Amino acid sequence: RAAAAAGADPIEAELVIARAAQRASALDDAERVLATLHAENPGHGEVAGTYARLLVTRSRYAEARRVATLPALGALSGLRAEAAGLAAFYLGELAEADAAFATLELGATAASDVALTGRALSLRGMVAQQRGQLGLASDRYQEAAARLHEVGELHAAAVAGTEHDQSVAVD
């Protein structure tokens, strides 16, 4: 809060506070900050994405999807696409989940964000696996692991690699 008082962007300062609360597992505090920030700035994409992702973490999927896909925010991108996709996935709406994750992948690829591309591929693998498309899931997990390993995201790469191994074992 001192940063905001010193002239830092007040929205960015509040996002830092909310993220710090999340990392400290103070989810109620993080939600309070994000809910207020979102109510005051409903057209701010990063706020909506951060808030929607927290709502997914709290298993409030319908609410998360609503926040992530508000028409005033325009086309899905970044964390809003991830949150909308996860919300749809957990609501059993696999086509919507895959479409959101494909949007995430496309945006990450366009931005040359290899780590986010890997994450998107892993999420798309999760959808394919749920649909019983094990070969496709395996390919996506394998590509995700390669991308994530390439940028040093070793834990995420290992998780994607494990998912690949499990999808191959079932196939």
Side-chain angles (χ1 to χ4, degrees):
R1 299 196 198 293
D9 181 281
I11 294 174
E12 288 301 318
E14 291 295 312
L15 282 170
V16 168
I17 291 167
R19 289 179 181 130
Q22 283 181 273
R23 286 187 189 100
S25 297
L27 299 183
D28 289 341
D29 294 338
E31 184 173 347
R32 242 185 324 278
V33 170
L34 290 170
T36 300
L37 198 54
H38 180 65
E40 293 171 354
N41 305 279
H44 195 287
E46 188 176 358
V47 170
T50 305
Y51 184 35
R53 189 62 184 85
L54 174 68
L55 292 170
V56 167
T57 299
R58 303 201 90 179
S59 303
R60 291 175 25 213
Y61 308 121
E63 189 177 354
R65 181 175 48 196
R66 183 189 58 73
V67 168
T69 61
L70 286 172
L73 295 168
L76 279 180
S77 65
L79 195 53
R80 288 188 312 107
E82 180 179 325
L86 286 168
F89 180 84
Y90 291 119
L91 290 168
E93 299 166 359
L94 299 182
E96 291 83 359
D98 195 45
F101 297 147
T103 297
L104 179 63
E105 180 185 359
L106 191 63
T109 300
S112 299
D113 187 334
V114 178
L116 188 56
T117 301
R119 173 122 175 95
L121 284 164
S122 183
L123 291 166
R124 293 192 75 200
M126 181 177 74
V127 172
Q129 187 172 2
Q130 186 68 24
R131 287 177 164 165
Q133 300 168 317
L134 301 182
L136 179 59
S138 175
D139 291 346
R140 286 182 174 161
Y141 286 137
Q142 190 171 23
E143 180 66 21
R147 300 272 178 113
L148 292 163
H149 193 300
E150 175 185 328
V151 293
E153 293 284 343
L154 302 181
H155 181 267
V159 170
T162 300
E163 294 297 331
H164 168 260
D165 293 346
Q166 289 175 351
S167 68
V168 169
V170 175
D171 198 17

